[in-house]
Amino acid sequence: MEKIDYNVYILVVKGRVNYSINDKRIVGEKGDLLYIPSETVRSGKNHASGAHQKYTVAFTLAESGEKTATFPIKHHFHHIKAKNPEYVKHRMERLFVDSRGDRKFQSYICNGILQELLGMFARELESPAITPSKVKYAAIIEQYLLKNYRRPIEIEQLAKLINRSSSYTISVFKEVMGQSPIKYIHQLRISEACNLLLNTAMTVAAISDYLGYYDPSYFSRMFKKLTSMSPKEFAVYGHQLDISRHDFK
């Protein structure tokens, strides 16, 4: 146990972790976001179920920052389930990369990413709770997309999985995941495209066909839309992006 003199923002990405927050026991699970403010007495350790993985951002605020209404989060412990943990994960990876070394405009960029993360957290704190049934529906759809993202997928197919209308299917997935099923499919495909461009000798046309785009020009447009780079540019410079290479917009 120790009293910390900095703020901590955490995303749990695997397993479970035990925390003691001011003598209160907390269990963080995959997909959980935790905000631990400075002056908190806390400790942490692995859960009995095994090891865990998490992304942790530690930061301090200027004196005026904690005393004005500009800081979006009340200064006490918060624990919520992330609506879009993959996006939070990508932004934390981007923050990690930009915080290393001595890059130009480093402080400006890192502060911007941190402000985005905290703003998203504050917004989710104020959002109405999502019902368990909606979370279940979104999970069913997500698992199907993870297994079948290379195939042509129609919204009607997804609607049949949960026995709901197409409009409701889109709405509930977007509410829980923060994006439409179609955009999620594109992100899965482009994520795999990044891996293939960096780690195989496959051509852009072959990758396009493999991922179910069939039209290389459309694939290239979608790739650039999500990564800000063309597939050929990414193949050349992608290694320099390190773990941030999946930082999709």
Side-chain angles (χ1 to χ4, degrees), residues 4 6-7 19 52 68 90 96 101 173 218-219 227 245:
I4 56 175
Y6 49 87
N7 306 286
Y19 282 103
H52 70 280
T68 68
H90 295 322
F96 172 73
F173 190 86
Y218 177 72
F219 164 68
T227 68
R245 58 180 177 266

Side-chain angles (χ1 to χ4, degrees), residues 4-61:
I4 56 175
D5 58 2
Y6 49 87
N7 306 286
V8 186
Y9 183 54
I10 299 167
L11 170 67
V12 182
V13 296
K14 184 178 181 180
R16 308 173 76 189
V17 54
N18 285 329
Y19 282 103
S20 178
I21 306 295
N22 294 329
D23 291 326
K24 182 179 180 181
R25 184 173 178 272
I26 302 293
V27 178
E29 301 180 334
K30 180 180 178 181
D32 284 1
L33 292 171
L34 299 91
Y35 175 75
I36 308 175
S38 61
E39 304 303 312
T40 298
V41 178
R42 71 101 170 91
S43 68
K45 64 180 180 180
N46 281 326
H47 189 267
S49 58
H52 70 280
Q53 293 179 352
K54 63 180 183 289
Y55 285 77
T56 302
V57 183
F59 64 97
T60 57
L61 298 170

Side-chain angles (χ1 to χ4, degrees), residues 159-179:
K160 289 180 180 179
L161 294 174
I162 60 174
N163 294 316
R164 293 293 185 272
S165 68
S166 296
S167 59
Y168 180 85
T169 300
I170 295 172
S171 175
V172 73
F173 190 86
K174 192 169 185 178
E175 181 179 354
V176 176
M177 302 296 294
Q179 59 189 316

Side-chain angles (χ1 to χ4, degrees), residues 69 71-74 78 80 83 118-129:
F71 189 67
I73 302 172
K74 291 183 179 180
H78 296 281
I80 64 175
K83 289 184 179 178
L118 296 176
M120 291 168 56
F121 185 85
R123 180 181 292 170
E124 293 199 17
L125 282 174
E126 294 184 356
S127 299

